[in-house]
Amino acid sequence: MDDGPMGGGGGGGGRQREPADTDALYKVLGVDKKASDSDIKKSFRRLALKKHPDKGGDPEEFKKIQAAYEVLSDPEKREKYDKYGLEGLEGGDMPEGGMDVFDLFFGGGRRRARGGKRKAEDTVYPLKVSLEDLYNGKTAKLAITRSVMKGEPKKCTTCRGQGVVVQMRQIGPGMVQQLQSRCPDCTGGYRVQMKKERQVLEVNVDKGASHNTKLRFSGMGNESPNAEPGDVVFVLQQKEHATFKRKGADLLLQKDISLSEALCGFKFVVRQLDGRQLLVQSKPGQIVRPEVTSGVPYVMCVEGEGMPKHGNPFDKGRLFVLFTIVFPPNYSLGEEQMEMLKTALPPAINDEGYDPETVEEAMLDEIDLNELGKGQGASGDDDDDDDEAGHNGQRVQCAQS
């Protein structure tokens, strides 16, 4: 994931970090680091059947199994974990239901920052941007409100600074269950008064940035006792565009053209996302077909008129144009026009000979396909059943000699 322009984790003070542990989750599932997605899924199912609390398994151990599978079954999260360990997993990467992988495996806080302190949760904001913003880039100043500490934190007497409390619950004769939960009277083992603080952040959206790109501002999030401040993360949300659809670095435009344009060439102007007027035209003699093959639409493209590529905005994708040929409604041709078209176009493919004395003529009319099966006689089967059944629905059998 790319950091925002004002983000950047970085090391500090020349302090050396210990190598990240990238094996723990694989050990929980009992698979090798090179295991395939299928192997990971099979191992999780096997462990889930064996370790589920309903089967007498330990709830905490089962949570670890679930958390490990949530990370390793997602290619993006697995890649982050393989590179950076649990510290590389962001707030949005946590498993469903708010499970905290770092808490589960190491207890206490979420991520450990420099100096061994845990790191407070990230604050995530969606940021809606237009396709024009992603094409041209954009800088915006956004105001956020964060929680900061007022005064010095004091160790909680309820949990004795542990951040969690343990309760014992009897579940049967001679059977006691130990339940661990977050302390209701403190945050992370410390009590402190909090206040709200307003901050204005300058957010830079790079050219070619994509939907769900995360822009990170390190240390600008909420404060928490005995912890490094969290980060503020803006997640780009691309809005629908009236003209273009985007896929990667390519753009798609749907365009209606007439039958004459499909056969004789076309020109039309497209307003590009940077405001340029782009004249799109066919090559001389080029014909637009309704389909390439059955069910496959006919498309053309213009090289270099798609989206800028993130990291190299001077290199752009392609502009795809998907055509729909609009045939003239309620329009008939005269004899002279038909003869001219027959001369200009390829010969007919249905030109078999016939004897006019023996064939019967059948003229076609336009009709909706939904009318198929609704013609006269459609209820004939029901009529036959009624005839066969006789009066009052009683079936009548034919006498046999």
Side-chain angles (χ1 to χ4, degrees):
M1 185 199 72
D2 296 328
D3 285 340
M6 293 186 65
R15 189 170 292 179
Q16 196 83 15
R17 280 196 181 187
E18 295 183 3
D21 181 1
T22 59
D23 296 319
L25 301 188
Y26 290 98
K27 290 178 181 178
V28 168
L29 292 182
V31 295
D32 186 77
K33 290 189 70 171
K34 296 182 180 180
S36 65
D37 294 342
S38 177
D39 292 336
I40 290 174
K41 184 180 293 186
K42 288 177 182 177
S43 181
F44 170 71
R45 288 177 176 173
R46 175 178 55 80
L47 289 172
L49 291 173
K50 184 179 178 182
K51 302 289 186 178
H52 196 280
D54 291 346
K55 301 289 185 180
D58 180 19
E60 292 301 315
E61 184 180 2
F62 184 67
K63 285 181 182 178
K64 288 185 178 182
I65 294 171
Q66 282 184 300
Y69 179 69
E70 287 278 354
V71 174
L72 298 182
S73 62
D74 185 299
E76 184 179 347
K77 294 177 187 178
R78 183 179 180 182
E79 183 180 359
K80 290 180 184 178
Y81 175 72
D82 287 344
K83 287 184 179 179
Y84 309 112
L86 294 176
E87 293 187 357
L89 300 176
E90 310 301 342
D93 295 328
M94 292 300 107
E96 294 293 333
M99 272 195 297
D100 191 314
V101 177
F102 210 104
D103 279 353
L104 284 171
F105 284 85
F106 296 102
R110 188 174 84 77
R111 283 184 291 164
R112 295 315 192 243
R114 297 186 302 274
K117 281 188 176 182
R118 68 184 181 89
K119 191 174 180 69
E121 293 289 341
D122 293 341
T123 306
V124 181
Y125 296 97
L127 177 59
K128 291 188 176 182
V129 288
S130 66
L131 197 55
E132 284 84 356
D133 294 336
L134 297 174
Y135 187 96
N136 300 295
K138 178 183 180 180
T139 299
K141 291 185 177 181
L142 301 175
I144 64 167
T145 301
R146 67 175 188 155
S147 298
V148 297
M149 292 185 293
K150 184 180 178 181
E152 290 295 323
K154 296 181 180 180
K155 186 177 288 188
C156 177
T157 56
T158 303
C159 65
R160 299 179 181 179
Q162 297 300 311
V164 294
V165 291
V166 177
Q167 296 176 327
M168 307 300 290
R169 186 178 70 176
Q170 186 169 353
I171 58 176
M175 299 178 65
V176 178
Q177 184 179 30
Q178 179 176 298
L179 300 176
Q180 180 175 293
S181 60
R182 293 184 185 272
C183 179
D185 298 329
C186 70
T187 303
Y190 290 81
R191 296 182 183 182
V192 67
Q193 285 187 320
M194 306 296 291
K195 66 178 182 178
K196 295 295 183 181
E197 181 180 85
R198 187 175 182 270
Q199 290 279 347
V200 177
L201 302 179
E202 188 175 87
V203 181
N204 293 326
V205 179
D206 294 335
K207 293 182 178 181
S210 58
H211 182 68
N212 281 338
T213 293
K214 296 177 181 178
L215 307 180
R216 179 175 297 279
F217 292 80
S218 295
M220 298 303 294
N222 296 325
E223 293 183 351
S224 182
N226 198 34
E228 293 287 337
D231 300 341
V232 170
V233 181
F234 292 98
V235 183
L236 301 184
Q237 301 291 301
Q238 178 184 310
K239 295 186 287 189
E240 291 289 329
H241 196 271
T243 304
F244 300 105
K245 293 186 182 299
R246 178 188 183 184
K247 188 166 186 180
D250 294 329
L251 292 173
L252 174 66
L253 169 68
Q254 293 181 283
K255 187 67 177 178
D256 291 347
I257 59 173
S258 67
L259 179 58
S260 60
E261 288 176 307
L263 296 174
C264 305
F266 58 83
K267 290 183 181 180
F268 57 88
V269 175
V270 175
R271 182 179 176 83
Q272 255 294 13
L273 294 167
D274 57 0
R276 290 179 295 123
Q277 299 290 319
L278 188 66
L279 181 63
V280 179
Q281 54 188 321
S282 57
K283 296 176 181 178
Q286 192 174 34
I287 294 176
V288 177
R289 291 172 284 167
E291 293 178 327
V292 178
T293 56
S294 180
V296 180
Y298 186 80
V299 294
M300 296 181 180
C301 80
V302 181
E303 292 287 345
E305 287 296 342
M307 293 290 294
K309 295 181 180 179
H310 196 206
N312 184 14
F314 298 103
D315 186 16
K316 296 181 180 178
R318 299 160 293 181
L319 171 61
F320 283 71
V321 184
L322 190 154
F323 294 98
T324 298
I325 302 174
V326 181
F327 280 72
N330 302 323
Y331 181 78
S332 58
L333 299 173
E335 289 290 338
E336 185 177 348
Q337 293 172 312
M338 287 192 290
E339 289 301 322
M340 291 175 62
L341 282 175
K342 288 179 180 179
T343 303
L345 296 175
I349 60 175
N350 295 301
D351 194 19
E352 56 188 81
Y354 61 88
D355 184 356
E357 298 295 331
T358 59
V359 299
E360 297 181 17
E361 292 186 358
M363 303 300 294
L364 289 170
D365 293 320
E366 291 185 4
I367 193 169
D368 191 326
L369 183 60
N370 291 326
E371 292 296 313
L372 182 64
K374 297 180 181 179
Q376 291 184 356
S379 60
D381 293 341
D382 296 335
D383 293 341
D384 292 342
D385 290 342
D386 291 341
D387 291 342
E388 188 176 350
H391 294 295
N392 299 323
Q394 296 179 352
R395 186 171 298 275
V396 179
Q397 295 183 345
C398 296
Q400 296 181 1
S401 56

